[in-house]
Amino acid sequence: MSQWEMIIRLVLSGVLGGLIGFERRSHFKEAGLRTHFVVAVGSALIMLVSKYGFTDLLYTNAISVDPSRIAAQVVSGIGFLGAGTIIVEHQFVRGLTTAAGLWATAGIGIAIGAGMYIPGISATVLILVALEIFNKFKKTVSYSMGRADLSPDGINPALDTLKNSKIKISGIQVNRHYNKTDKDLEVRLTFRIYTKNQNETKKIMVSLLKIPYVKNVNIE
């Protein structure tokens, strides 16, 4: 293979990875265009090295070359980057799609580096189309995250308020912790509100704030 064709593969990998990164960045995700571009180009480079970097040893006695061994490490190694984009906040997980996108981008880079142009391009198009479709579907069932800080006596009244609401509320979590300053037991209530109606959201906030034991409420 010529050096120029290797460069073309690297450029094509970067373009395809950048497209996925641009889509992620347009939705304000943790890993964007630059990260996906670097992952794709790096994966393609590793595949090229794995496949063509040891051709001078092919005719050396007692040495066997396995082109898949180095490339296989990309699949497991990319997990470290993916883990960095996953955020756990109040027992809710965010960033899984971006982590999966990085993993898929690495696969695209490997495919292009191996000369599998059609599968690599097809995978890119499929991922972009699927992400856009699912993002539009997600908007139709979007939800807001709610948090309320209260004293232990307010747990039952707050739960009753949420359960009696006319809109869908799920993922209710009750976390207890001690206030280091006053050394009192405090409670943080987290929940999901499935509605696009801001008035309904405000009604829930007002209802919770009317409870004497509730200190503050935040819904975003």
Side-chain angles (χ1 to χ4, degrees), residues 96-114:
L96 286 176
T97 302
T98 301
L102 285 172
W103 181 73
T105 300
I108 292 170
I110 292 174
I112 299 300

mmCIF file of all heavy atoms in Angstrom, residues 96-114:
data_model
loop_
_atom_site.group_PDB
_atom_site.id
_atom_site.type_symbol
_atom_site.label_atom_id
_atom_site.label_comp_id
_atom_site.label_asym_id
_atom_site.label_seq_id
_atom_site.Cartn_x
_atom_site.Cartn_y
_atom_site.Cartn_z
ATOM 1 N N LEU A 96 -24.194 7.941 28.524
ATOM 2 C CA LEU A 96 -24.035 6.596 27.969
ATOM 3 C C LEU A 96 -24.028 6.619 26.443
ATOM 4 O O LEU A 96 -23.264 5.887 25.804
ATOM 5 C CB LEU A 96 -25.163 5.682 28.480
ATOM 6 C CG LEU A 96 -25.055 5.221 29.941
ATOM 7 C CD1 LEU A 96 -26.284 4.424 30.323
ATOM 8 C CD2 LEU A 96 -23.806 4.387 30.157
ATOM 9 N N THR A 97 -24.889 7.453 25.846
ATOM 10 C CA THR A 97 -24.937 7.525 24.384
ATOM 11 C C THR A 97 -23.631 8.078 23.825
ATOM 12 O O THR A 97 -23.119 7.583 22.811
ATOM 13 C CB THR A 97 -26.114 8.404 23.931
ATOM 14 O OG1 THR A 97 -27.331 7.875 24.460
ATOM 15 C CG2 THR A 97 -26.212 8.440 22.413
ATOM 16 N N THR A 98 -23.084 9.084 24.479
ATOM 17 C CA THR A 98 -21.807 9.640 24.031
ATOM 18 C C THR A 98 -20.687 8.615 24.165
ATOM 19 O O THR A 98 -19.824 8.505 23.287
ATOM 20 C CB THR A 98 -21.467 10.901 24.844
ATOM 21 O OG1 THR A 98 -22.510 11.862 24.675
ATOM 22 C CG2 THR A 98 -20.153 11.512 24.369
ATOM 23 N N ALA A 99 -20.694 7.852 25.261
ATOM 24 C CA ALA A 99 -19.689 6.798 25.438
ATOM 25 C C ALA A 99 -19.815 5.739 24.352
ATOM 26 O O ALA A 99 -18.814 5.281 23.784
ATOM 27 C CB ALA A 99 -19.838 6.159 26.815
ATOM 28 N N ALA A 100 -21.058 5.366 24.037
ATOM 29 C CA ALA A 100 -21.274 4.395 22.959
ATOM 30 C C ALA A 100 -20.848 4.974 21.611
ATOM 31 O O ALA A 100 -20.335 4.254 20.753
ATOM 32 C CB ALA A 100 -22.752 3.993 22.912
ATOM 33 N N GLY A 101 -21.050 6.282 21.437
ATOM 34 C CA GLY A 101 -20.621 6.937 20.200
ATOM 35 C C GLY A 101 -19.113 6.898 20.029
ATOM 36 O O GLY A 101 -18.606 6.693 18.917
ATOM 37 N N LEU A 102 -18.381 7.103 21.117
ATOM 38 C CA LEU A 102 -16.919 7.008 21.050
ATOM 39 C C LEU A 102 -16.485 5.593 20.687
ATOM 40 O O LEU A 102 -15.563 5.396 19.890
ATOM 41 C CB LEU A 102 -16.306 7.411 22.397
ATOM 42 C CG LEU A 102 -16.302 8.909 22.721
ATOM 43 C CD1 LEU A 102 -15.853 9.122 24.155
ATOM 44 C CD2 LEU A 102 -15.409 9.665 21.756
ATOM 45 N N TRP A 103 -17.129 4.620 21.279
ATOM 46 C CA TRP A 103 -16.815 3.219 20.985
ATOM 47 C C TRP A 103 -17.093 2.908 19.517
ATOM 48 O O TRP A 103 -16.294 2.262 18.842
ATOM 49 C CB TRP A 103 -17.649 2.328 21.901
ATOM 50 C CG TRP A 103 -17.417 0.866 21.718
ATOM 51 C CD1 TRP A 103 -16.319 0.155 22.102
ATOM 52 C CD2 TRP A 103 -18.305 -0.073 21.109
ATOM 53 N NE1 TRP A 103 -16.480 -1.175 21.780
ATOM 54 C CE2 TRP A 103 -17.693 -1.337 21.170
ATOM 55 C CE3 TRP A 103 -19.569 0.038 20.546
ATOM 56 C CZ2 TRP A 103 -18.294 -2.480 20.660
ATOM 57 C CZ3 TRP A 103 -20.179 -1.103 20.036
ATOM 58 C CH2 TRP A 103 -19.534 -2.343 20.090
ATOM 59 N N ALA A 104 -18.242 3.382 19.010
ATOM 60 C CA ALA A 104 -18.581 3.155 17.609
ATOM 61 C C ALA A 104 -17.637 3.913 16.681
ATOM 62 O O ALA A 104 -17.261 3.413 15.604
ATOM 63 C CB ALA A 104 -20.028 3.591 17.341
ATOM 64 N N THR A 105 -17.227 5.115 17.084
ATOM 65 C CA THR A 105 -16.284 5.896 16.280
ATOM 66 C C THR A 105 -14.946 5.176 16.157
ATOM 67 O O THR A 105 -14.317 5.196 15.092
ATOM 68 C CB THR A 105 -16.079 7.288 16.910
ATOM 69 O OG1 THR A 105 -17.336 7.971 16.955
ATOM 70 C CG2 THR A 105 -15.095 8.117 16.093
ATOM 71 N N ALA A 106 -14.519 4.541 17.240
ATOM 72 C CA ALA A 106 -13.294 3.746 17.177
ATOM 73 C C ALA A 106 -13.452 2.603 16.180
ATOM 74 O O ALA A 106 -12.533 2.285 15.420
ATOM 75 C CB ALA A 106 -12.950 3.209 18.564
ATOM 76 N N GLY A 107 -14.626 1.978 16.188
ATOM 77 C CA GLY A 107 -14.882 0.902 15.221
ATOM 78 C C GLY A 107 -14.862 1.395 13.790
ATOM 79 O O GLY A 107 -14.352 0.713 12.891
ATOM 80 N N ILE A 108 -15.388 2.597 13.559
ATOM 81 C CA ILE A 108 -15.359 3.181 12.219
ATOM 82 C C ILE A 108 -13.926 3.447 11.784
ATOM 83 O O ILE A 108 -13.541 3.187 10.641
ATOM 84 C CB ILE A 108 -16.188 4.480 12.193
ATOM 85 C CG1 ILE A 108 -17.678 4.153 12.385
ATOM 86 C CG2 ILE A 108 -15.979 5.245 10.890
ATOM 87 C CD1 ILE A 108 -18.541 5.366 12.622
ATOM 88 N N GLY A 109 -13.122 3.971 12.711
ATOM 89 C CA GLY A 109 -11.717 4.216 12.387
ATOM 90 C C GLY A 109 -10.984 2.934 12.048
ATOM 91 O O GLY A 109 -10.184 2.898 11.113
ATOM 92 N N ILE A 110 -11.256 1.872 12.782
ATOM 93 C CA ILE A 110 -10.633 0.576 12.494
ATOM 94 C C ILE A 110 -11.058 0.082 11.118
ATOM 95 O O ILE A 110 -10.239 -0.430 10.343
ATOM 96 C CB ILE A 110 -11.007 -0.451 13.583
ATOM 97 C CG1 ILE A 110 -10.352 -0.070 14.915
ATOM 98 C CG2 ILE A 110 -10.582 -1.854 13.171
ATOM 99 C CD1 ILE A 110 -10.783 -0.949 16.071
ATOM 100 N N ALA A 111 -12.344 0.230 10.806
ATOM 101 C CA ALA A 111 -12.846 -0.239 9.509
ATOM 102 C C ALA A 111 -12.194 0.509 8.352
ATOM 103 O O ALA A 111 -11.751 -0.104 7.362
ATOM 104 C CB ALA A 111 -14.368 -0.080 9.450
ATOM 105 N N ILE A 112 -12.114 1.832 8.475
ATOM 106 C CA ILE A 112 -11.491 2.622 7.406
ATOM 107 C C ILE A 112 -10.005 2.313 7.310
ATOM 108 O O ILE A 112 -9.434 2.204 6.223
ATOM 109 C CB ILE A 112 -11.720 4.124 7.637
ATOM 110 C CG1 ILE A 112 -13.220 4.440 7.636
ATOM 111 C CG2 ILE A 112 -11.013 4.950 6.572
ATOM 112 C CD1 ILE A 112 -13.934 4.096 6.348
ATOM 113 N N GLY A 113 -9.350 2.165 8.465
ATOM 114 C CA GLY A 113 -7.931 1.832 8.460
ATOM 115 C C GLY A 113 -7.654 0.501 7.800
ATOM 116 O O GLY A 113 -6.600 0.294 7.197
ATOM 117 N N ALA A 114 -8.628 -0.420 7.885
ATOM 118 C CA ALA A 114 -8.466 -1.730 7.259
ATOM 119 C C ALA A 114 -8.868 -1.724 5.791
ATOM 120 O O ALA A 114 -8.758 -2.753 5.118
ATOM 121 C CB ALA A 114 -9.300 -2.766 8.012
#
